[in-house]
Amino acid sequence: MFLFLTSVLLEQVVALDAQNIVAVSCGEAHTLALNDKGQVYAWGLDSDGQLGLLGSEECIRVPRKVECSPLELEGMASWVIILPVMK
């Protein structure tokens, strides 16, 4: 079975307006955004802990800062695809 994306709904994430976002990574139902200071923000479905937000509820609707060290982020690079943000 092949699935093709036929339409995309783009929506501004107002909660990140004050951030200079340099990269975005999207999963099936969650999103991570990296700012120019190396801080990561996450939102979406967190049923399996994919957002890295300990003790969070199952669905995060407003981006939250992920508390982690640069070393932890470096280890994630092997399985996270980061796309540059077009300005």
Side-chain angles (χ1 to χ4, degrees):
M1 175 196 297
F2 292 99
L3 299 175
F4 295 98
L5 182 63
T6 58
S7 65
V8 177
L9 175 62
L10 299 177
E11 185 176 328
Q12 182 176 350
V13 182
V14 178
L16 296 176
D17 278 354
Q19 303 297 322
N20 183 19
I21 301 299
V22 296
V24 175
S25 178
C26 301
E28 185 175 334
H30 68 284
T31 304
L32 303 174
L34 176 70
N35 72 10
D36 60 341
K37 296 175 182 154
Q39 299 167 319
V40 175
Y41 291 84
W43 67 100
L45 189 61
D46 193 31
S47 56
D48 295 318
Q50 58 267 56
L51 299 182
L53 301 169
L54 298 176
S56 70
E57 56 268 19
E58 191 167 308
C59 184
I60 307 298
R61 299 194 182 280
V62 177
R64 293 187 188 168
K65 185 176 168 187
V66 178
E67 299 297 334
C68 61
S69 70
L71 182 59
E72 290 172 312
L73 288 177
E74 185 176 310
M76 293 169 57
S78 63
W79 56 268
V80 174
I81 298 171
I82 305 246
L83 304 172
V85 175
M86 303 302 286
K87 295 213 177 199

